[in-house]
Amino acid sequence: MHKIVVLDGAVLNPGDLSWTPLEALGSLTVYDRTPGEMILSHIGDADIVLTNKTPLTAETLAAAPKVKFIGALGTGFNSIAIGAAKSLGVAVANVPSYSTHDVAQFTMALLLEVCHRIGDHSRGVQAGEWARSRDFCYWDYPQMELFGKTFGVIGMGRIGQAAAKLAEAFGMKVLYYSRHEKELPFPAEFVDLDTLLRESDVVSLHCPLTPQDRGLIGREKIGKMKDGAILLNTSRGSLIDEEAVADALKSGKLYAFAADVLPQEPMRADSPFLGLDNVILTPHIAWASRAARKRLLDVTVSNIAAFLEGKVQNRVE
C-alpha cells in the first residue's frame, strides 16, 4: 500500500473538508504543521509527500529515497527543490487555477477598500459616530470613483486576466505588461513596463516570483509610477521592496498599498507597514474560500491518482 504524508495540512483543511478521498489512495498521515527539524521524521518511509510551505530541499530529498511523488498543495512550488527532485526521479505536480476567481475577487475587494474604507466607516458607525453626526452623512476618508481610471496589470496569466476583466467591468481602462501579448476577451492594451507604471492609477501585481523579479517594485520602479498611484499585491510578497514601498507611502508618492502577501510570512513584527494609515494588509487569505480549498484538494487527489496509474498530470518541471 502506498504511504501518503501531508506535511502541513492545517491551512488547507482546518476541519471543514474531508481527507477521505486521499485515504482511498493509500495509508494517509496528516500533520497540521511540520517544523524544520521534523521534516525527515514526518516523511518517514512515505512514497507520496504533499506540502504547501514546508520546504523540501535537495538535502532532504536525498535523505528520503522512498519518495517518488511530491504534490504541491497550491500553484506555487518555491518550497520544493525541483531540480533535485528531477535528478532523483521524483515526480512533482502542482494545482494550477484552483483559486483564480477567489484571488481576482480579493484583489478588487482590496481596491474597493482603498476607495471607500468600508471597514473603518462601519466601525465608526458601530461606535456611535453616525448617531452623533450633525449631518445626514459623514466620511473620514476621501471616497474614490474607479470609472475612467487606468488599471495596470503586471503578469497577465489566469489571475491577472480575471482581475483585469473585473476592473474593465468597473469602467477602468486596462493596461498590461506580460512576457507575451495575449488574445483577450475584453479590451486591454499590451504595453512595456515603464509605460504601465507611468500611466496607471492602479498597479496590480499578478506575476510569478522569479529571481529576476524579486524586489521588482523598488525605488527605481516606484519613481516611474504616477504620483498618487495605488499599488496592489495578491501574488508573491517578495515582488516588492518593503522599505521602498513604505517610504513611498510616507512621502505621498503612493496613495495606498493593499496586499494579501508580504516577503516574510507571518509578517515581521517590525514591518515598516505597521502603523501606516494608507496601508491595508490581510493575512494571505485570498486563496482560502472553502470552494477554492475544495478544488485544491480535489485536484491533488486527481494528481495522485494519475501518478498511481503511471501518468503525471500538472507536472512541474
Side-chain angles (χ1 to χ4, degrees), residues 272-303:
F273 298 127
L274 291 174
L276 297 185
D277 196 43
N278 51 352
V279 171
I280 294 170
L281 296 175
T282 51
H284 205 143
I285 55 173
W287 67 284
S289 74
R290 185 183 184 280
R293 289 183 289 107
K294 176 68 163 53
R295 282 192 294 272
L296 172 54
L297 184 55
D298 288 347
V299 176
T300 297
V301 170
S302 177
N303 285 347

Side-chain angles (χ1 to χ4, degrees), residues 113-140:
E113 185 65 16
V114 170
C115 292
H116 302 294
R117 302 297 287 259
I118 290 171
D120 291 296
H121 285 101
S122 177
R123 283 186 287 273
V125 169
Q126 292 292 338
E129 292 179 17
W130 197 11
R132 294 189 294 270
S133 175
R134 298 177 61 187
D135 302 305
F136 74 94
C137 70
Y138 75 93
W139 55 89
D140 291 330

Side-chain angles (χ1 to χ4, degrees), residues 77-146:
F77 44 87
N78 297 40
S79 60
I80 303 168
I82 301 299
K86 186 174 182 179
S87 68
L88 292 167
V90 179
V92 182
N94 71 340
V95 184
S97 305
Y98 75 94
S99 64
T100 297
H101 298 295
D102 287 63
V103 177
Q105 174 182 308
F106 204 93
T107 299
M108 300 313 291
L110 289 173
L111 178 56
L112 292 173
E113 185 65 16
V114 170
C115 292
H116 302 294
R117 302 297 287 259
I118 290 171
D120 291 296
H121 285 101
S122 177
R123 283 186 287 273
V125 169
Q126 292 292 338
E129 292 179 17
W130 197 11
R132 294 189 294 270
S133 175
R134 298 177 61 187
D135 302 305
F136 74 94
C137 70
Y138 75 93
W139 55 89
D140 291 330
Y141 296 87
Q143 299 294 288
M144 181 185 299
E145 182 180 73
L146 291 175

Side-chain angles (χ1 to χ4, degrees), residues 172-190:
M172 303 184 78
K173 176 184 177 181
V174 176
L175 303 179
Y176 74 97
Y177 168 75
S178 189
R179 282 177 289 185
H180 306 289
E181 188 170 3
K182 308 284 180 94
E183 282 197 22
L184 300 169
F186 54 87
E189 183 181 351
F190 178 57

Side-chain angles (χ1 to χ4, degrees), residues 29-278:
T29 301
V30 178
Y31 296 100
D32 283 347
R33 299 164 191 86
T34 295
E37 68 275 10
M38 299 188 70
I39 294 174
L40 278 174
S41 64
H42 280 188
I43 291 174
D45 60 352
D47 54 335
I48 296 173
V49 176
L50 305 179
T51 181
N52 189 328
K53 301 298 182 186
T54 302
L56 294 177
T57 65
E59 293 76 17
T60 296
L61 295 179
K66 291 196 174 183
V67 175
K68 299 303 177 189
F69 177 88
I70 298 171
L73 293 174
T75 303
F77 44 87
N78 297 40
S79 60
I80 303 168
I82 301 299
K86 186 174 182 179
S87 68
L88 292 167
V90 179
V92 182
N94 71 340
V95 184
S97 305
Y98 75 94
S99 64
T100 297
H101 298 295
D102 287 63
V103 177
Q105 174 182 308
F106 204 93
T107 299
M108 300 313 291
L110 289 173
L111 178 56
L112 292 173
E113 185 65 16
V114 170
C115 292
H116 302 294
R117 302 297 287 259
I118 290 171
D120 291 296
H121 285 101
S122 177
R123 283 186 287 273
V125 169
Q126 292 292 338
E129 292 179 17
W130 197 11
R132 294 189 294 270
S133 175
R134 298 177 61 187
D135 302 305
F136 74 94
C137 70
Y138 75 93
W139 55 89
D140 291 330
Y141 296 87
Q143 299 294 288
M144 181 185 299
E145 182 180 73
L146 291 175
F147 183 86
K149 287 184 165 50
T150 299
F151 187 82
V153 180
I154 299 179
M156 201 58 138
R158 295 182 182 93
I159 295 174
Q161 290 182 38
K165 186 176 180 181
L166 293 175
E168 195 270 335
F170 278 113
M172 303 184 78
K173 176 184 177 181
V174 176
L175 303 179
Y176 74 97
Y177 168 75
S178 189
R179 282 177 289 185
H180 306 289
E181 188 170 3
K182 308 284 180 94
E183 282 197 22
L184 300 169
F186 54 87
E189 183 181 351
F190 178 57
V191 296
D192 60 69
L193 182 54
D194 285 355
T195 299
L196 183 146
L197 295 172
R198 183 177 65 250
E199 297 186 5
S200 297
D201 299 291
V202 179
V203 174
S204 193
L205 302 178
H206 297 285
C207 51
L209 178 62
T210 64
Q212 296 79 15
D213 288 337
R214 186 173 294 274
L216 173 68
I217 304 301
R219 298 188 192 282
E220 179 190 357
K221 296 295 190 295
I222 292 171
K224 296 178 179 180
M225 292 174 69
K226 181 183 288 189
D227 289 348
I230 297 167
L231 177 62
L232 308 176
N233 190 8
T234 52
S235 184
R236 292 290 181 259
S238 293
L239 290 169
I240 69 158
D241 177 330
E242 285 186 296
E243 301 295 340
V245 172
D247 288 346
L249 291 163
K250 293 172 185 175
S251 72
K253 173 65 178 178
L254 291 178
Y255 178 78
F257 173 56
D260 186 52
V261 290
L262 287 177
Q264 179 178 313
E265 296 176 351
M267 74 182 295
R268 295 162 42 191
D270 62 345
S271 170
F273 298 127
L274 291 174
L276 297 185
D277 196 43
N278 51 352

